[in-house]
Amino acid sequence: TLAETQQLLRYARSVAKTESQTAEIEESLLRLGTWQAVGSHPFSAAEWHSFRTADLATCARAFLARGDVSRVALLWRRHAHDEKLRGDLAGALQTFPSRGDVVSLAQWLKCEALPNIKTAQQRLDVDSWLEQRSRALEATPGCLTDALLLASLAAEKLSRHETSQAGNALLLSTPQQFIAAREHNRVMRKGPTSGAAFLHAQLLDLVQLQKKHSLSLTLDAYAQLSFSDISRVFLDRVAAPELLGDAYKTHFLPYAQLHRLDHAQIAQQYCVDCMNTRKHWEPRVLQLMRCLSSECMDTGASVPMPLTTARMSALRAYADIALEAMRRSAVPWSAPMDAAMESALQLLKLYADSDPEISRLHLDAAEHIRLMRLKRMLMSYGLGDFHISNTRMALPLLQCLVRRTDEDVMSDMLQL
């Protein structure tokens, strides 16, 4: 029975004559306690004898192959002196099942296994496995968070406690151990490999995209996109133009700011692309113009806000979009476009004295609006083919208009 085996081992320890015999018996007692803790079966002398002489590293591999992290952790805690057990960590991890409990494994690795790694090569081997398993988990539906959890372990740097231990090892080592400890300290201080750190950053961004922005991407698809491309997806996926404002504030702007992008420049290029590729581009462009203008002026304010670098960028992008929209608008233009033109003119006028470039953009916008209105007036009289650049025809045209009796003919003549 178990009690008889314990009694027999205690008696053998009491009559041991050498330190080696005592140590061997102590190890047997320790293994007996371990076998009792990890086993859920009745006591069997044959099974106990098999475990007493078993290779603990092989036992750890068998437990991990079943996904039994708790028993592996127990082996590590009770047999910290077994160098082969601890040195086989990377090999044991290779047996961990693809559908195993990643959370429990990561917790054990972080709290117990990784802090007690003895060599730099072993840490590199474990990091290599963590990176490979993270990529495999990312490709498995529903396992993105688990992939990030393992990648974060590979990307972690040496803690202060571990650094202190490595420093102490340098003082207490033999010459051979001194060299090994110094190399370990150098590699561990160096931090994660560039591949592990890069993978961790990618997976972290993928998790944030999924949780905060409801955007699911595979790692392969994500790697093909830039941060700017992803920020444009937040705008492009919105089918209804009236919802663009919410997408801009909730998804596009926070993501662009997180990655320190020039969001105004991205919005400007997106608007130009819309004009080039979409037949009905006007509602989307005008909606984004309102978003940019709100960054430059508080609602209902009559005085300009301080012209910071970010506000200057937004104002320039807003002006460029407005001018491009004017150039592409058909005559006569829509009422929303007319309101947007007037708002652009007022906003640029408000900041015209603050910056020479804004002043130039204001003058360009004012001149463009004047010519558009002149062309619209000419079309109302059936003179759509008249080239307003031909100033020599202005006098004959005035003579033509002066003979008309329309109500607005006098204001039209003054405009001409």
Side-chain angles (χ1 to χ4, degrees):
T1 64
L2 176 63
E4 291 172 342
T5 303
Q6 290 175 333
Q7 184 178 3
L8 180 62
L9 287 173
R10 291 193 186 101
Y11 174 75
R13 181 178 56 184
S14 66
V15 298
K17 297 181 179 180
T18 63
E19 290 184 1
S20 62
Q21 290 177 341
T22 302
E24 185 177 352
I25 296 170
E26 290 284 359
E27 175 64 19
S28 295
L29 281 168
L30 181 62
R31 285 212 178 199
L32 180 60
T34 303
W35 182 73
Q36 183 183 6
V38 300
S40 57
H41 41 69
F43 180 81
S44 167
E47 292 182 4
W48 153 238
H49 179 72
S50 176
F51 182 79
R52 184 178 66 84
T53 58
D55 179 16
L56 292 180
T58 303
C59 294
R61 288 195 177 206
F63 289 143
L64 270 183
R66 300 199 301 264
D68 195 343
V69 178
S70 60
R71 283 183 168 84
V72 176
L74 183 64
L75 285 181
W76 270 62
R77 294 189 199 109
R78 292 181 60 83
H79 300 276
H81 57 281
D82 193 315
E83 295 295 336
K84 186 177 181 181
L85 171 64
R86 292 179 176 267
D88 191 50
L89 176 60
L93 288 173
Q94 296 289 345
T95 67
F96 190 72
S98 58
R99 290 290 185 175
D101 186 356
V102 174
V103 176
S104 298
L105 177 67
Q107 184 177 7
W108 171 65
L109 287 173
K110 181 176 182 179
C111 299
E112 298 185 48
L114 295 183
N116 290 291
I117 284 180
K118 300 300 182 183
T119 67
Q121 185 58 49
Q122 186 182 2
R123 178 58 192 260
L124 292 176
D125 292 341
V126 172
D127 285 348
S128 177
W129 179 86
L130 289 170
E131 184 177 347
Q132 293 173 10
R133 182 54 63 94
S134 295
R135 293 185 182 277
L137 286 171
E138 184 278 329
T140 305
C143 295
L144 181 59
T145 304
D146 289 343
L148 175 62
L149 193 58
L150 293 185
S152 65
L153 295 177
E156 283 182 354
K157 292 185 178 180
L158 190 64
S159 68
R160 292 182 180 179
H161 175 67
E162 291 172 273
T163 304
S164 176
Q165 287 183 332
N168 292 337
L170 298 179
L171 299 177
L172 302 175
S173 301
T174 63
Q176 183 178 3
Q177 292 171 333
F178 175 87
I179 296 174
R182 186 174 61 178
E183 177 64 14
H184 173 271
N185 200 18
R186 183 189 67 80
V187 173
M188 298 296 279
R189 282 181 180 274
K190 187 178 179 181
T193 62
S194 58
F198 185 62
L199 176 62
H200 176 254
Q202 287 182 315
L203 292 176
L204 182 61
D205 204 32
L206 283 174
V207 170
Q208 295 299 320
L209 286 172
Q210 188 178 88
K211 291 185 175 181
K212 290 187 176 181
H213 305 292
S214 302
L215 179 62
S216 296
L217 295 172
T218 65
L219 184 60
D220 290 338
Y222 176 86
Q224 301 300 318
L225 301 173
S226 65
F227 294 139
S228 299
D229 294 333
I230 295 173
S231 64
R232 287 167 60 102
V233 171
F234 297 133
L235 303 176
D236 211 37
R237 70 179 179 177
V238 179
E242 57 270 18
L243 300 179
L244 266 178
D246 182 66
Y248 182 93
K249 295 176 182 177
T250 307
H251 302 294
F252 172 79
L253 191 57
Y255 188 80
Q257 290 175 340
L258 175 65
H259 293 286
R260 299 180 180 179
L261 305 176
D262 188 347
H263 68 276
Q265 185 65 33
I266 297 172
Q268 176 193 348
Q269 187 58 51
Y270 176 79
C271 288
V272 173
D273 291 342
C274 284
M275 296 179 200
N276 291 332
T277 59
R278 293 177 181 265
K279 183 177 180 180
H280 304 290
W281 54 264
E282 185 178 296
R284 302 183 75 85
V285 171
L286 296 186
Q287 190 68 248
L288 289 175
M289 285 178 60
R290 283 190 284 271
C291 292
L292 287 171
S293 67
S294 66
E295 299 180 29
C296 306
M297 175 63 67
D298 286 334
T299 304
S302 57
V303 293
M305 299 169 67
L307 201 57
T308 61
T309 302
R311 195 164 290 124
M312 172 66 81
S313 177
L315 190 58
R316 289 173 178 171
Y318 172 81
D320 289 338
I321 295 171
L323 286 169
E324 188 63 26
M326 291 178 198
R327 296 187 188 101
R328 295 174 184 249
S329 294
V331 180
W333 53 91
S334 65
M337 177 59 73
D338 192 69
M341 289 164 50
E342 189 62 34
S343 297
L345 194 61
Q346 292 177 3
L347 182 60
L348 292 174
K349 182 179 180 181
L350 201 60
Y351 285 96
D353 295 334
S354 302
D355 184 81
E357 185 175 353
I358 301 302
S359 177
R360 178 187 62 78
L361 290 171
H362 170 252
L363 293 176
D364 289 347
E367 178 63 13
H368 205 86
I369 292 174
R370 186 184 72 83
L371 294 176
M372 289 179 67
R373 289 174 176 171
L374 181 59
K375 189 171 184 179
R376 183 178 60 180
M377 180 268 293
L378 292 172
M379 288 187 66
S380 67
Y381 290 105
L383 301 172
D385 295 333
F386 181 82
H387 294 287
I388 57 178
S389 60
N390 189 357
T391 57
R392 290 183 298 176
M393 292 298 296
L395 180 59
L397 186 57
L398 282 172
Q399 292 172 346
C400 176
L401 294 181
V402 77
R403 298 187 182 94
R404 301 181 68 94
T405 59
D406 305 70
E407 289 185 8
D408 298 329
V409 68
M410 185 57 69
S411 61
D412 291 341
M413 291 173 61
L414 291 174
Q415 183 180 354
L416 183 61

